[in-house]
Short mmCIF file of all heavy atoms in Angstrom, two decimals:
data_model
loop_
_atom_site.label_atom_id
_atom_site.label_comp_id
_atom_site.label_asym_id
_atom_site.label_seq_id
_atom_site.Cartn_x
_atom_site.Cartn_y
_atom_site.Cartn_z
N VAL A 2 -9.55 -1.98 3.38
CA VAL A 2 -9.50 -1.62 2.03
C VAL A 2 -8.69 -0.40 1.85
O VAL A 2 -8.82 0.69 2.53
CB VAL A 2 -10.83 -1.39 1.42
CG1 VAL A 2 -10.77 -1.06 -0.09
CG2 VAL A 2 -11.83 -2.76 1.58
N LYS A 3 -7.69 -0.38 0.94
CA LYS A 3 -6.73 0.71 0.86
C LYS A 3 -6.74 1.18 -0.69
O LYS A 3 -6.48 0.27 -1.54
CB LYS A 3 -5.33 0.41 1.20
CG LYS A 3 -4.39 1.65 0.98
CD LYS A 3 -2.98 1.26 1.47
CE LYS A 3 -2.03 2.47 1.34
NZ LYS A 3 -2.47 3.62 2.06
N LEU A 4 -6.93 2.50 -0.92
CA LEU A 4 -6.84 3.06 -2.30
C LEU A 4 -5.39 3.14 -2.68
O LEU A 4 -4.48 3.53 -1.97
CB LEU A 4 -7.39 4.41 -2.45
CG LEU A 4 -8.95 4.40 -2.50
CD1 LEU A 4 -9.48 5.97 -2.39
CD2 LEU A 4 -9.41 3.92 -3.86
N VAL A 5 -5.02 2.56 -3.88
CA VAL A 5 -3.60 2.59 -4.30
C VAL A 5 -3.55 3.07 -5.84
O VAL A 5 -4.58 2.90 -6.53
CB VAL A 5 -2.93 1.15 -4.21
CG1 VAL A 5 -2.82 0.83 -2.65
CG2 VAL A 5 -3.72 0.12 -4.98
N ARG A 6 -2.44 3.48 -6.25
CA ARG A 6 -2.16 3.71 -7.59
C ARG A 6 -1.85 2.36 -8.32
O ARG A 6 -1.21 1.51 -7.73
CB ARG A 6 -1.08 4.71 -7.76
CG ARG A 6 -1.24 5.99 -7.03
CD ARG A 6 -0.03 6.91 -7.23
NE ARG A 6 0.15 7.35 -8.62
CZ ARG A 6 1.05 8.36 -8.93
NH1 ARG A 6 1.73 8.86 -8.02
NH2 ARG A 6 1.09 8.64 -10.30
N PRO A 7 -2.19 2.23 -9.59
CA PRO A 7 -1.71 1.03 -10.36
C PRO A 7 -0.24 0.85 -10.38
O PRO A 7 0.38 2.00 -10.47
CB PRO A 7 -2.35 1.27 -11.84
CG PRO A 7 -3.41 2.20 -11.51
CD PRO A 7 -3.01 3.15 -10.47
N GLY A 8 0.30 -0.33 -10.26
CA GLY A 8 1.71 -0.39 -10.30
C GLY A 8 2.09 -1.81 -9.59
O GLY A 8 1.22 -2.58 -9.22
N ASP A 9 3.45 -1.84 -9.45
CA ASP A 9 4.00 -3.07 -8.74
C ASP A 9 4.21 -2.86 -7.27
O ASP A 9 4.72 -1.66 -7.03
CB ASP A 9 5.27 -3.55 -9.46
CG ASP A 9 5.04 -3.91 -10.91
OD1 ASP A 9 3.96 -4.49 -11.22
OD2 ASP A 9 5.95 -3.68 -11.68
N TYR A 10 3.93 -3.71 -6.49
CA TYR A 10 4.04 -3.57 -4.96
C TYR A 10 4.68 -4.82 -4.38
O TYR A 10 4.51 -5.92 -4.86
CB TYR A 10 2.67 -3.28 -4.33
CG TYR A 10 2.10 -2.01 -4.74
CD1 TYR A 10 1.24 -1.96 -5.87
CD2 TYR A 10 2.24 -0.84 -4.04
CE1 TYR A 10 0.58 -0.74 -6.21
CE2 TYR A 10 1.74 0.29 -4.26
CZ TYR A 10 0.86 0.43 -5.36
OH TYR A 10 0.32 1.59 -5.75
N GLU A 11 5.42 -4.61 -3.22
CA GLU A 11 5.97 -5.74 -2.44
C GLU A 11 5.20 -5.76 -1.16
O GLU A 11 5.16 -4.75 -0.49
CB GLU A 11 7.43 -5.65 -2.30
CG GLU A 11 8.03 -6.81 -1.49
CD GLU A 11 9.44 -6.67 -1.19
OE1 GLU A 11 9.87 -5.92 -0.30
OE2 GLU A 11 10.14 -7.24 -1.96
N ILE A 12 4.62 -6.85 -0.69
CA ILE A 12 3.87 -7.06 0.52
C ILE A 12 4.87 -7.76 1.33
O ILE A 12 5.38 -8.97 0.97
CB ILE A 12 2.68 -7.81 0.31
CG1 ILE A 12 1.70 -7.05 -0.70
CG2 ILE A 12 1.89 -7.94 1.61
CD1 ILE A 12 0.55 -7.89 -1.06
N SER A 13 5.14 -7.33 2.57
CA SER A 13 5.90 -8.01 3.63
C SER A 13 5.12 -8.33 4.90
O SER A 13 4.44 -7.40 5.40
CB SER A 13 7.18 -7.31 3.98
OG SER A 13 7.94 -7.02 2.79
N VAL A 14 5.17 -9.51 5.36
CA VAL A 14 4.39 -9.89 6.58
C VAL A 14 5.32 -10.67 7.50
O VAL A 14 6.09 -11.49 7.08
CB VAL A 14 3.23 -10.79 6.17
CG1 VAL A 14 2.37 -11.21 7.42
CG2 VAL A 14 2.38 -10.17 5.10
N SER A 15 5.18 -10.22 8.86
CA SER A 15 6.02 -10.88 9.83
C SER A 15 5.29 -10.93 11.10
O SER A 15 4.44 -10.05 11.39
CB SER A 15 7.40 -10.15 9.97
OG SER A 15 7.11 -8.81 10.35
N ARG A 16 5.71 -11.86 11.96
CA ARG A 16 5.13 -11.95 13.30
C ARG A 16 6.14 -12.78 14.09
O ARG A 16 6.60 -13.78 13.48
CB ARG A 16 3.77 -12.56 13.27
CG ARG A 16 3.22 -12.59 14.69
CD ARG A 16 1.76 -13.28 14.84
NE ARG A 16 1.11 -13.13 16.01
CZ ARG A 16 1.48 -13.89 17.16
NH1 ARG A 16 2.40 -14.91 17.12
NH2 ARG A 16 0.80 -13.84 18.28
N GLU A 17 6.29 -12.48 15.26
CA GLU A 17 7.24 -13.31 16.17
C GLU A 17 6.75 -14.74 16.34
O GLU A 17 5.58 -14.98 16.44
CB GLU A 17 7.37 -12.76 17.59
CG GLU A 17 8.43 -13.36 18.49
CD GLU A 17 8.47 -12.71 19.85
OE1 GLU A 17 7.88 -11.68 20.06
OE2 GLU A 17 9.27 -13.25 20.69
N GLY A 18 7.67 -15.65 16.11
CA GLY A 18 7.34 -17.11 16.17
C GLY A 18 6.86 -17.77 14.86
O GLY A 18 6.62 -18.87 14.69
N PHE A 19 6.75 -16.90 13.74
CA PHE A 19 6.32 -17.37 12.52
C PHE A 19 7.37 -16.96 11.43
O PHE A 19 8.15 -15.91 11.64
CB PHE A 19 4.97 -16.75 12.13
CG PHE A 19 3.81 -17.26 13.04
CD1 PHE A 19 3.60 -16.81 14.27
CD2 PHE A 19 2.97 -18.27 12.44
CE1 PHE A 19 2.51 -17.18 15.10
CE2 PHE A 19 1.89 -18.68 13.28
CZ PHE A 19 1.67 -18.20 14.52
N GLY A 20 7.39 -17.73 10.34
CA GLY A 20 8.25 -17.38 9.30
C GLY A 20 7.83 -16.16 8.49
O GLY A 20 6.59 -15.95 8.20
N ASP A 21 8.62 -15.27 7.98
CA ASP A 21 8.38 -14.11 7.23
C ASP A 21 7.78 -14.49 5.91
O ASP A 21 8.18 -15.53 5.36
CB ASP A 21 9.44 -13.15 7.06
CG ASP A 21 9.90 -12.60 8.45
OD1 ASP A 21 9.18 -12.80 9.52
OD2 ASP A 21 11.06 -11.98 8.51
N GLU A 22 6.90 -13.74 5.29
CA GLU A 22 6.43 -13.98 3.97
C GLU A 22 6.64 -12.63 3.18
O GLU A 22 6.41 -11.48 3.67
CB GLU A 22 5.03 -14.41 3.94
CG GLU A 22 4.78 -15.76 4.43
CD GLU A 22 5.01 -16.82 3.46
OE1 GLU A 22 5.18 -16.49 2.21
OE2 GLU A 22 4.94 -18.08 3.76
N LYS A 23 6.95 -12.78 1.96
CA LYS A 23 6.92 -11.63 0.97
C LYS A 23 6.27 -12.03 -0.36
O LYS A 23 6.42 -13.22 -0.66
CB LYS A 23 8.43 -11.25 0.71
CG LYS A 23 9.08 -10.46 1.75
CD LYS A 23 10.48 -9.94 1.31
CE LYS A 23 11.00 -9.04 2.50
NZ LYS A 23 12.30 -8.50 2.16
N GLN A 24 5.60 -11.05 -0.93
CA GLN A 24 4.86 -11.34 -2.15
C GLN A 24 4.93 -10.08 -3.10
O GLN A 24 4.72 -9.05 -2.60
CB GLN A 24 3.38 -11.71 -1.83
CG GLN A 24 2.65 -12.28 -3.07
CD GLN A 24 1.30 -12.84 -2.70
OE1 GLN A 24 1.17 -13.36 -1.64
NE2 GLN A 24 0.39 -12.75 -3.58
N GLN A 25 5.17 -10.40 -4.43
CA GLN A 25 5.12 -9.28 -5.28
C GLN A 25 3.76 -9.39 -6.01
O GLN A 25 3.33 -10.39 -6.50
CB GLN A 25 6.31 -9.49 -6.30
CG GLN A 25 7.68 -9.64 -5.74
CD GLN A 25 8.10 -8.31 -5.32
OE1 GLN A 25 7.74 -7.14 -5.72
NE2 GLN A 25 9.06 -8.31 -4.28
N VAL A 26 3.12 -8.23 -6.13
CA VAL A 26 1.78 -8.05 -6.80
C VAL A 26 1.83 -7.00 -7.77
O VAL A 26 2.48 -6.03 -7.61
CB VAL A 26 0.63 -7.89 -5.81
CG1 VAL A 26 0.61 -9.10 -4.85
CG2 VAL A 26 0.87 -6.65 -5.04
N THR A 27 1.02 -7.12 -8.81
CA THR A 27 0.83 -6.07 -9.77
C THR A 27 -0.61 -5.65 -9.70
O THR A 27 -1.53 -6.48 -9.88
CB THR A 27 1.17 -6.56 -11.23
OG1 THR A 27 2.52 -6.84 -11.30
CG2 THR A 27 0.90 -5.44 -12.22
N ILE A 28 -0.84 -4.42 -9.48
CA ILE A 28 -2.09 -3.79 -9.37
C ILE A 28 -2.45 -3.01 -10.60
O ILE A 28 -1.73 -2.05 -10.97
CB ILE A 28 -2.24 -2.95 -8.15
CG1 ILE A 28 -1.99 -3.71 -6.89
CG2 ILE A 28 -3.74 -2.36 -7.97
CD1 ILE A 28 -2.82 -4.89 -6.58
N ARG A 29 -3.57 -3.26 -11.23
CA ARG A 29 -3.94 -2.63 -12.43
C ARG A 29 -5.01 -1.56 -12.25
O ARG A 29 -5.74 -1.71 -11.18
CB ARG A 29 -4.30 -3.61 -13.58
CG ARG A 29 -3.16 -4.43 -14.00
CD ARG A 29 -3.58 -5.50 -15.06
NE ARG A 29 -2.47 -6.31 -15.56
CZ ARG A 29 -2.04 -7.39 -14.92
NH1 ARG A 29 -2.46 -7.76 -13.75
NH2 ARG A 29 -0.93 -8.02 -15.54
N ARG A 30 -5.27 -0.66 -13.20
CA ARG A 30 -6.27 0.29 -13.04
C ARG A 30 -7.66 -0.40 -12.79
O ARG A 30 -7.97 -1.20 -13.52
CB ARG A 30 -6.28 1.18 -14.38
CG ARG A 30 -7.37 2.33 -14.19
CD ARG A 30 -7.27 3.08 -15.55
NE ARG A 30 -8.28 4.07 -15.69
CZ ARG A 30 -8.21 5.35 -15.00
NH1 ARG A 30 -7.08 5.68 -14.37
NH2 ARG A 30 -9.24 6.13 -15.12
N ASN A 31 -8.39 0.16 -11.81
CA ASN A 31 -9.63 -0.20 -11.41
C ASN A 31 -9.76 -1.68 -10.81
O ASN A 31 -10.72 -2.16 -10.57
CB ASN A 31 -10.70 -0.22 -12.73
CG ASN A 31 -10.86 1.19 -13.19
OD1 ASN A 31 -10.88 2.23 -12.37
ND2 ASN A 31 -10.98 1.41 -14.47
N ASP A 32 -8.52 -2.16 -10.43
CA ASP A 32 -8.51 -3.44 -9.78
C ASP A 32 -8.99 -3.40 -8.36
O ASP A 32 -8.93 -2.33 -7.77
CB ASP A 32 -7.03 -3.97 -9.66
CG ASP A 32 -6.60 -4.79 -10.74
OD1 ASP A 32 -7.51 -5.02 -11.67
OD2 ASP A 32 -5.42 -5.30 -10.88
N ALA A 33 -9.77 -4.42 -7.93
CA ALA A 33 -10.01 -4.56 -6.46
C ALA A 33 -9.42 -5.81 -5.94
O ALA A 33 -10.06 -6.83 -5.86
CB ALA A 33 -11.66 -4.52 -6.31
N ALA A 34 -8.10 -5.72 -5.81
CA ALA A 34 -7.27 -6.97 -5.48
C ALA A 34 -7.59 -7.28 -3.99
O ALA A 34 -7.58 -6.46 -3.02
CB ALA A 34 -5.84 -6.68 -5.51
N ARG A 35 -7.77 -8.62 -3.75
CA ARG A 35 -7.89 -9.14 -2.41
C ARG A 35 -6.87 -10.35 -2.38
O ARG A 35 -7.04 -11.30 -3.00
CB ARG A 35 -9.36 -9.72 -2.20
CG ARG A 35 -9.55 -10.19 -0.72
CD ARG A 35 -11.08 -10.54 -0.61
NE ARG A 35 -11.40 -10.87 0.68
CZ ARG A 35 -11.44 -12.09 1.27
NH1 ARG A 35 -11.11 -13.12 0.41
NH2 ARG A 35 -11.72 -12.35 2.43
N ILE A 36 -5.90 -10.19 -1.37
CA ILE A 36 -4.76 -11.14 -1.24
C ILE A 36 -4.67 -11.80 0.02
O ILE A 36 -4.85 -11.09 1.05
CB ILE A 36 -3.42 -10.29 -1.60
CG1 ILE A 36 -3.50 -9.68 -3.10
CG2 ILE A 36 -2.32 -11.21 -1.45
CD1 ILE A 36 -2.45 -8.82 -3.36
N LEU A 37 -4.73 -13.00 -0.03
CA LEU A 37 -4.63 -13.84 1.32
C LEU A 37 -3.28 -14.33 1.50
O LEU A 37 -2.46 -14.78 0.54
CB LEU A 37 -5.56 -15.13 1.19
CG LEU A 37 -7.02 -14.93 1.59
CD1 LEU A 37 -7.74 -13.97 0.58
CD2 LEU A 37 -7.76 -16.20 1.61
N MET A 38 -2.72 -14.15 2.72
CA MET A 38 -1.33 -14.60 3.04
C MET A 38 -1.49 -15.23 4.59
O MET A 38 -2.26 -14.77 5.34
CB MET A 38 -0.42 -13.49 3.06
CG MET A 38 -0.12 -12.89 1.71
SD MET A 38 0.99 -11.52 1.66
CE MET A 38 2.54 -12.41 2.03
#
């Protein structure tokens, strides 16, 4: 769990042998976002 400021974020995920993934998310005030990739 990471504390963040509200706003727009880009998540990038990579690992050798697997295709990279990117996702844009918007975090709002008091959100408790849980994102599966």
